[in-house]
Amino acid sequence: MPAARPAEPPAEDLPEDLTRLAALHGVATSYSPSPDRTVAASATAVILALAALGVDASTPGAVRAALAARDAELRERLLPPTVVAWSDGGTPAALAALPAGTRLRVETEAGETRADADRLPPGVHRLTATAPDGRTAGAHLIVAPARLPVPAARSYGLLVQLYSLLSRRSWGMGDLGDLAELAAWAGRALGAGFVQVNPLHAAVPGAPTDPSPYRPSSRRFPDPVHLRIEDVPEFAYVTDRERLGVLRERAGRLREAVLEKGALIDRDAVWELKREAAELLLEVPLGPGRRAAYCDYLAEQGTALEDHATWCALAEVHGSDWQRWPEGLRDPRSADTDRARTELRDRVDFHSRLTWLTDTQLTAAQHAAREAGMPVGIVHDLAVGVHPRGADSWAQQEYFAAGMSVGAPPDAFNARGQDWGLPPWRPDRLAESGYAPFRRLLRGLFRYAGALRIDHVMGLFRLWWVPEGHPPTEGTYVRYDAEAMLAVLVLEAGRAGAVVIGEDLGTVEPGVREALRERGVLGTSVLWFERDWAGDGRPLPPERWRADCLATATTHDLPSTAARLTGEHVELRDRLGLLTRPLEEERAEAAADTAEWLDVLARLGLLHGTGGDTGGPSEEAGIQAVHRFLLRTPARMAGIWLPDAVGDRRPQNLPGTWDQYPNWRLPVADAEGRPVTLEDLAASPRLHALIDVVRDRAGG
């Protein structure tokens, strides 16, 4: 239940004590949407954010008491709960501030004991400090490399929503077999260095499933809907071949409906077929080697996997909203949950096995990519949060801020702000645990990722918290320990030898991009947004682009390049009633923006070919020119949005819509709207012409 709404004084007149208490807990009392403008947060947002952090600020007396308690805690505290040491840095400030004569004791990850914190190996160690006056404090000590190594050589690759690229073997949506095939082909035949996909996190089950891959049930484990059933070794030994044959026949009809009959991708129907097939697969006993591998996986994943599989089993019985389960089952550590786990042990094992099988196919896809010569391989995507009723929010309740949702403040594009419906992590609980949930999350993803894209990477620094039951305008920023979050990220990525790409588009707090670059985290630069905003506002020349980034022409949330060049994105938004200005104004502004970029491309000699009678550039020539431009920038990675390669005009996701547009359910299609299979893609003259352009620029 949302907390009771407190009486709200005028936003510009927050009491001084409340302002100071908020600052001590990282809760902002104002924010700056632009350098010349500051907006005060409402008292509602500040008080409810503090309440979600366990701080009572509901009355002036409560504020004074909380302030006194916090001041006393900080005076007495020897160490913060987590301390960061960079391998190239000096003594951490927290250690330098200890009283003279303080004794240190460090227990390393490897189990060694040391009497100082110097020259420690990378890892998360346990630090104990004993002051001369007898006070003792413990802390987690994160020792991280100074920065991640940048990619050894610049590369280009493909960006695709995996579900949208079907082959003649997939069951109604793209799967991990398709991903491995795509990576092997792109690496060997196209010289691509990577393939970037959407988040493959586990979705919340139930019909209809939320199709967005950015609102998962769990970020810690993958979704078995992506399994290639035929690639599971036990498939060959299923005894009920007739039943399996029926399922494959139904899968074929599902595939043909999408590819030949204009049907949308139906994730629920795909999962129903794969779940039934998985039931048959799991009747086949594992061989000794496979059994040993599965047992190793269970031991390695431990309680986290057991919790995830238990949630999945309970959801089959009680529905996918754990907050509506019987009260005793809402706590993953309760006696009732223990009993249910025992009673449902076959289903718990079923979901554990499916997770393991999916993990092995993800690992195989990365192996195929590297075998094909890709220096990076598969770039996986980390969503910014999880569903409030899903597996992670049930299993890790203590780490989430109850009654809060992540979103974005009002800006020039959305005057009402945004509420993404994702519960935020509590920064205080993360620090107390030494960032254990974040470490385990990253470690799991880096098992099979050559690189990781972090959606809304600014969330490592601060997030906009929206109190439940309130509009996004009544939110406020809550700060995280960015140094600790970055240290964990660099530590785990460095151990895996992986690249990290931050999605840093939109409003970015000053200093964030610089901090990310210092630690080797690449940014994201999208052509249409790269303008000289500090100067004349014109398109930024290629030589002035940053090198430490992934450069692209578009993303899954933006119009395809073909739609932008033709202006079709404006017409689509008009048909759906999404325009905030008259159609002619929107058309004129979009046309002027596109014309300005085409003029730049022409002046640089990148625009080849004409559009016949019009004498202007063809849409395909425009797409090629855009990618010539990207390869003229110093960007270390350049991404080709796969639908651009075949002329697809439709966005995969249209922000601001729900059922008005088929978000996350469209197959990749050509310029005429005909679905393009993986096999078609490999033979596409248009794609190969674009790749020839890119390879020529990359080679030059």
Side-chain angles (χ1 to χ4, degrees):
M1 294 292 292
R5 182 170 179 162
E8 183 179 328
E12 67 275 6
D13 192 26
L14 288 179
E16 182 180 344
D17 282 352
L18 179 59
T19 299
R20 195 160 75 85
L21 180 64
L24 289 172
H25 290 277
V27 177
T29 53
S30 65
Y31 70 98
S32 298
S34 60
D36 58 347
R37 183 168 170 247
T38 298
V39 178
S42 69
T44 296
V46 173
I47 293 170
L48 292 180
L50 285 168
L53 292 169
V55 180
D56 183 4
S58 58
T59 67
V63 170
R64 288 192 296 272
L67 200 52
R70 184 64 168 171
D71 284 340
E73 175 195 344
L74 293 175
R75 280 196 307 270
E76 292 297 315
R77 189 173 75 180
L78 275 179
L79 289 171
T82 294
V83 176
V84 172
W86 298 99
S87 62
D88 67 338
T91 302
L95 300 187
L98 289 169
T102 297
R103 298 194 310 276
L104 298 181
R105 180 172 176 270
V106 179
E107 296 177 29
T108 70
E109 277 189 342
E112 300 174 340
T113 301
R114 300 194 185 184
D116 59 59
D118 296 332
R119 296 182 297 280
L120 288 169
V124 181
H125 314 300
R126 190 64 192 167
L127 171 68
T128 303
T130 303
D133 61 8
R135 287 181 298 156
T136 299
H140 302 276
L141 177 61
I142 303 173
V143 180
R147 59 178 284 120
L148 292 170
V150 298
R154 89 181 296 198
S155 62
Y156 60 89
L158 305 176
L159 318 178
V160 64
Q161 301 284 287
L162 179 58
Y163 61 83
S164 71
L165 183 61
L166 287 71
S167 71
R168 292 291 175 183
R169 296 179 179 177
S170 44
W171 288 23
M173 61 182 278
D175 61 31
L176 293 174
D178 297 322
L179 178 58
E181 197 75 39
L182 174 66
W185 167 70
R188 296 178 190 279
L190 306 183
F194 61 91
V195 172
Q196 178 180 303
V197 295
N198 54 287
L200 304 183
H201 310 315
V204 177
T209 301
D210 184 342
S212 172
Y214 290 93
R215 205 163 179 247
S217 172
S218 173
R219 296 188 297 174
R220 299 188 294 173
F221 296 103
D223 197 318
V225 76
H226 301 112
L227 272 174
R228 169 67 64 83
I229 293 294
E230 293 89 342
D231 286 354
V232 176
E234 287 71 39
F235 176 84
Y237 305 103
V238 170
T239 55
D240 192 345
R241 306 307 294 184
E242 182 178 352
R243 178 64 184 149
L244 196 56
V246 169
L247 292 174
R248 296 184 74 192
E249 183 180 335
R250 287 168 56 193
R253 291 198 296 270
L254 200 58
R255 177 177 61 246
E256 294 309 311
V258 174
L259 296 178
E260 308 294 343
K261 300 178 181 178
L264 298 174
I265 291 168
D266 187 340
R267 184 195 177 284
D268 293 333
V270 173
W271 171 235
E272 182 58 28
L273 291 177
K274 291 191 177 182
R275 185 193 59 76
E276 291 186 45
E279 302 278 2
L280 297 175
L281 290 177
L282 270 61
E283 290 176 1
V284 178
L286 294 173
R290 294 271 290 164
R291 169 61 61 181
Y294 177 47
C295 289
D296 283 351
Y297 182 75
L298 290 175
E300 182 177 314
Q301 300 303 315
T303 301
L305 177 58
E306 186 177 46
D307 284 346
H308 177 72
T310 298
W311 184 91
C312 292
L314 287 169
E316 291 179 334
V317 178
H318 300 287
S320 58
D321 183 350
W322 63 265
Q323 295 187 11
R324 297 191 178 193
W325 291 355
E327 188 171 352
L329 298 178
R330 297 174 198 170
D331 178 358
R333 305 290 164 250
S334 72
D336 286 356
T337 299
D338 282 343
R339 281 192 294 273
R341 185 181 288 118
T342 300
E343 293 166 1
L344 297 170
R345 58 182 174 274
D346 288 346
R347 299 309 296 170
V348 172
D349 182 64
F350 174 79
H351 291 289
S352 297
R353 286 267 297 273
L354 282 184
T355 303
W356 170 61
L357 292 174
T358 310
D359 186 281
T360 60
Q361 290 194 3
L362 283 161
T363 303
Q366 172 63 3
H367 183 69
R370 297 305 292 270
E371 273 202 330
M374 287 187 170
V376 175
I378 310 300
V379 182
H380 284 278
D381 198 348
L382 174 62
V384 72
V386 296
H387 196 285
R389 308 291 186 261
D392 282 1
S393 67
W394 174 74
Q396 298 183 309
Q397 291 174 49
E398 68 271 27
Y399 292 110
F400 290 101
M404 290 287 155
S405 175
V406 175
D411 57 28
F413 302 100
N414 194 323
R416 294 186 296 272
Q418 300 176 59
D419 183 345
W420 302 333
L422 309 168
W425 266 336
R426 284 183 55 163
D428 56 333
R429 295 278 173 82
L430 286 177
E432 290 163 6
S433 72
Y435 294 81
F438 190 41
R439 285 188 279 133
R440 289 193 290 261
L441 169 62
L442 293 174
R443 198 169 299 165
L445 291 166
F446 284 130
R447 286 172 57 87
Y448 43 73
L452 185 65
R453 174 192 181 270
I454 300 182
D455 192 42
H456 193 70
V457 72
M458 297 81 79
L460 299 180
F461 296 75
R462 64 178 185 176
L463 284 172
W464 184 257
W465 285 21
V466 180
E468 186 177 332
H470 296 263
T473 51
E474 291 187 20
T476 191
Y477 277 113
V478 175
R479 190 161 293 284
Y480 293 76
D481 185 341
E483 183 180 42
M485 299 285 275
L486 274 174
V488 170
L489 178 61
V490 171
L491 172 64
E492 295 299 339
R495 284 172 160 170
V499 174
V500 177
I501 303 161
E503 187 267 303
D504 56 353
L505 303 174
T507 302
V508 184
E509 184 183 13
V512 166
R513 288 195 174 110
E514 293 77 8
L516 293 170
R517 183 174 64 246
E518 180 186 0
R519 299 302 172 190
V521 177
L522 303 183
T524 302
S525 292
V526 178
L527 180 126
W528 309 98
F529 301 154
E530 290 298 310
R531 289 176 171 271
D532 184 7
W533 299 115
D536 58 13
R538 290 186 54 76
L540 202 63
E543 65 273 10
R544 289 182 56 194
W545 282 42
R546 54 182 170 170
D548 297 316
C549 75
L550 165 66
T552 71
T554 190
T555 74
H556 58 267
D557 280 336
L558 296 172
S560 69
T561 305
R564 196 177 286 275
L565 290 171
T566 59
E568 290 183 29
H569 63 303
V570 176
E571 308 300 327
L572 173 61
R573 292 180 64 82
D574 178 56
R575 289 197 300 273
L576 296 175
L578 298 176
L579 298 184
T580 57
R581 296 182 298 172
L583 174 60
E584 288 308 316
E585 283 186 32
E586 296 277 357
R587 277 179 179 155
E589 182 175 299
D593 181 74
T594 300
E596 196 169 25
W597 274 103
L598 288 174
D599 179 62
V600 169
L601 298 174
R603 283 190 289 103
L604 291 173
L606 305 177
L607 195 55
H608 308 163
T610 65
D613 295 338
T614 66
S618 69
E619 166 249 301
E620 184 177 354
I623 292 174
Q624 292 181 2
V626 162
H627 288 87
R628 286 189 184 96
F629 182 96
L630 293 179
L631 268 296
R632 186 169 283 197
T633 74
R636 297 188 185 280
M637 299 174 72
I640 301 170
W641 176 237
L642 191 59
D644 275 350
V646 290
D648 199 342
R649 284 161 160 70
R650 308 162 307 170
Q652 280 293 317
N653 179 50
L654 192 58
T657 63
W658 179 244
D659 55 2
Q660 310 99 305
Y661 185 80
N663 295 319
W664 317 111
R665 288 172 287 173
L666 293 171
V668 174
D670 63 18
E672 284 72 45
R674 293 186 298 261
V676 174
T677 66
L678 178 56
E679 293 86 354
D680 295 336
L681 195 71
S684 166
R686 179 165 177 157
L687 177 139
H688 283 283
L690 178 58
I691 294 298
D692 286 346
V693 163
V694 173
R695 293 180 91 160
D696 179 62
R697 285 300 319 166

